[in-house]
Amino acid sequence: MQLKQLIKWAKKYRSGKLGPERNEQFDSLLDELAHLGKSPSQSEINAAKSNVWKKIGSTGKSISSGRSVFLMVRKFAAVLLFFALVGLAVWEMYSQPTEIPMMVKRTEQGMRSTVTLSDGSRVRLNENSSLKFPETFSDELRMVYLNGEAFFDIMPNPDKPFKVLTGSSEITVLGTSFNVNTYRRPEITVTTGKVKVANLISKEGVELNPGQQATINTDQIQVSEVNPDFYIGWHTRKLEFEDEPIASVFSILERAYGVNIEVEMPEKEIKCVITGAYTGERIETILLGLRHILDFEYQTDISTKTIKIALKNCK
């Protein structure tokens, strides 16, 4: 008996064209093999072979295809060969998951993009980032892979967790919104809902609530309380400052607008704080507004996206 012929029968079984007698025998075979799992031991395989053989032998049915298949495999050695070549081949065929097509979205310098996933979740990619995701999520899990920075707004589904994998971290949510930045080291900031963060290297894990941020180091996770708006400003372009130190304001503007801000400070300490709100403003507009509070001059280098600020004092 040849393996190709037996595999051909297996394909007919799947399409419902095998015939009632042999269909019953394949049913028995698959029923036994389905209980083995993905990594059966040799003793489990041997027991399954024996059980299936007993079931087939007890039916008392023969197959008229020139000569009975089972006249050829009455000897125990032939039975073992039959299962070695066919049973396990069919078992592998049925146990292998269907490969789901993967898609990749990339952004270049100065480019941002929004991706809507098959479950309705939305991902906003920052510049110089990439997101790898399935065309359609599986029945058990929603999983994507991120390199760079993105803001996630996840559709709730308690029965199907959503996971984001980076180089050294795994983020798990059910339905929430959060920001992930992997430019230097993974940094997860939660705006709504709850997020579980795991360090894939140290195996440490934490749970984050709104207003909390986790930074993934090589052997630990650092959690801190933050203002989420400062870390998603690149996405919303909405910034609100209330008695914020000037050094912190410049740092937040760097993140929100994807620029480098180099500040030249005078020798004496400047203790200015900034209060104000900006929505959808160009960074030049914000800098002009800050000049009503601070005494400084600035120069912009568009080619390197660098802003040099010579800070003199508070007004």
Side-chain angles (χ1 to χ4, degrees):
M1 178 153 310
Q2 297 181 353
L3 179 58
K4 288 184 179 179
Q5 181 61 48
L6 296 171
I7 296 298
K8 184 177 180 181
W9 289 345
K11 290 180 179 179
K12 286 186 178 180
Y13 174 86
R14 296 185 71 177
S15 62
K17 300 177 181 179
L18 184 59
E21 290 130 340
R22 191 165 285 128
N23 191 79
E24 182 179 341
Q25 292 157 6
F26 263 87
D27 279 335
S28 297
L29 183 150
L30 295 174
D31 285 345
E32 290 296 328
L33 295 176
H35 291 86
L36 299 184
K38 292 186 177 180
S39 303
S41 66
Q42 189 59 48
S43 61
E44 289 173 325
I45 293 173
N46 291 338
K49 292 172 184 176
S50 177
N51 289 338
V52 172
W53 179 244
K54 288 178 182 177
K55 285 184 179 181
I56 293 175
S58 65
T59 62
K61 295 181 180 180
S62 61
I63 301 169
S64 56
S65 57
R67 52 176 175 167
S68 172
V69 171
F70 298 105
L71 290 177
M72 302 170 62
V73 292
R74 284 187 182 278
K75 292 184 179 180
F76 184 69
V79 176
L80 294 181
L81 179 61
F82 177 83
F83 278 98
L85 294 179
V86 186
L88 295 181
V90 175
W91 168 59
E92 284 291 336
M93 180 176 66
Y94 276 82
S95 64
Q96 289 297 322
T98 303
E99 220 173 287
I100 298 176
M102 298 295 287
M103 305 178 72
V104 178
K105 181 67 176 180
R106 292 185 175 87
T107 55
E108 306 298 334
Q109 182 77 22
M111 172 184 173
R112 294 186 175 96
S113 182
T114 299
V115 179
T116 301
L117 304 175
S118 62
D119 66 336
S121 297
R122 292 170 63 85
V123 183
R124 178 68 170 169
L125 278 179
N126 203 351
E127 59 184 2
N128 296 322
S129 302
S130 66
L131 182 74
K132 183 179 179 181
F133 56 98
E135 189 174 17
T136 304
F137 288 119
S138 69
D139 293 335
E140 296 80 22
L141 184 66
R142 299 176 289 172
M143 183 178 292
V144 300
Y145 303 83
L146 173 69
N147 182 31
E149 184 170 23
F151 179 80
F152 293 83
D153 190 3
I154 304 304
M155 291 291 288
N157 188 340
D159 299 323
K160 189 187 291 189
F162 190 101
K163 289 182 181 289
V164 181
L165 290 182
T166 70
S168 60
S169 64
E170 179 183 89
I171 302 107
T172 305
V173 302
L174 295 178
T176 184
S177 57
F178 57 99
N179 193 79
V180 181
N181 184 343
T182 70
Y183 288 138
R184 297 183 181 87
R185 54 186 179 179
E187 178 187 271
I188 299 92
T189 308
V190 180
T191 55
T192 64
K194 288 186 177 182
V195 172
K196 293 181 181 179
V197 178
N199 186 328
L200 298 179
I201 298 175
S202 68
K203 308 303 181 184
E204 181 185 1
V206 297
E207 187 174 277
L208 302 178
N209 294 305
Q212 290 187 315
Q213 180 183 86
T215 303
I216 311 295
N217 297 309
T218 302
D219 57 352
Q220 63 179 344
I221 301 177
Q222 293 181 334
V223 178
S224 55
E225 303 289 333
V226 299
N227 182 342
D229 291 340
F230 293 165
Y231 296 88
I232 65 172
W234 67 268
H235 161 57
T236 62
R237 290 292 168 86
K238 180 181 179 180
L239 299 172
E240 294 185 8
F241 303 115
E242 184 174 352
D243 293 334
E244 195 72 29
I246 185 59
S248 175
V249 170
F250 286 139
S251 177
I252 292 165
L253 290 176
E254 277 189 314
R255 291 182 57 98
Y257 289 88
V259 298
N260 298 314
I261 298 180
E262 298 177 359
V263 182
E264 180 184 337
M265 303 282 283
E267 292 184 2
K268 64 178 182 179
E269 185 180 2
I270 296 179
K271 297 183 179 180
C272 320
V273 292
I274 303 298
T275 296
Y278 305 92
T279 301
E281 303 285 1
R282 297 169 64 245
I283 191 167
E284 289 85 356
T285 303
I286 295 177
L287 291 174
L288 290 173
L290 290 176
R291 291 181 68 179
H292 292 291
I293 305 171
L294 304 171
D295 183 9
F296 69 90
E297 300 293 332
Y298 72 92
Q299 292 180 333
T300 301
D301 187 336
I302 298 176
S303 63
T304 61
K305 299 182 70 175
T306 299
I307 299 174
K308 294 183 178 181
I309 294 177
L311 182 60
K312 299 174 182 178
N313 209 335
C314 306
K315 287 187 175 179

